[in-house]
Amino acid sequence: MSRFFGYLTFVVITGMASSTQMAFASTSESWDELYKRVNQACIDKSGLVRPEIIDAKISFSDVVPIEARLLRGADDKGKAKRLICVFDRKTGHAEVQEAPEWNAPALVQ
């Protein structure tokens, strides 16, 4: 019987430890590195000729670990394109879709 409780205690503690997320402060350098990686992944995935990222980044919390970027450029036939790129911070995968009607907000000074 005590062997059973020892095993149960091990399972409970292991489960609690694996489900607990530790919060660590991130440095500005690590955020800058992430943004560079996101921007490059979105540019690479876009398929645009001379793509550029429009305006600022859009970052969501770790609850939904997503970064979003709006890009513009031209396709291989010279037609202007506007794309939205969504980057999953957990998997490192980027997905790009056309977004012809989306515009970056004007910056207020």
Side-chain angles (χ1 to χ4, degrees), residues 18-83:
S18 65
S19 67
T20 304
Q21 294 182 356
M22 302 290 285
F24 296 103
S26 296
T27 63
S28 60
E29 292 84 13
S30 65
W31 283 109
D32 289 343
E33 182 60 35
L34 170 69
Y35 298 147
K36 287 178 189 175
R37 194 168 45 124
V38 171
N39 292 348
Q40 192 60 54
C42 288
I43 287 169
D44 292 347
K45 196 77 166 181
S46 75
L48 297 173
V49 176
R50 292 188 303 276
E52 68 175 298
I53 295 182
I54 303 172
D55 204 21
K57 64 183 172 43
I58 302 167
S59 298
F60 294 87
S61 74
D62 286 338
V63 174
V64 181
I66 299 292
E67 296 285 321
R69 304 292 187 269
L70 191 61
L71 295 96
R72 69 176 163 209
D75 63 17
D76 57 350
K77 296 178 183 169
K79 182 178 177 187
K81 298 273 186 173
R82 182 166 287 139
L83 306 173

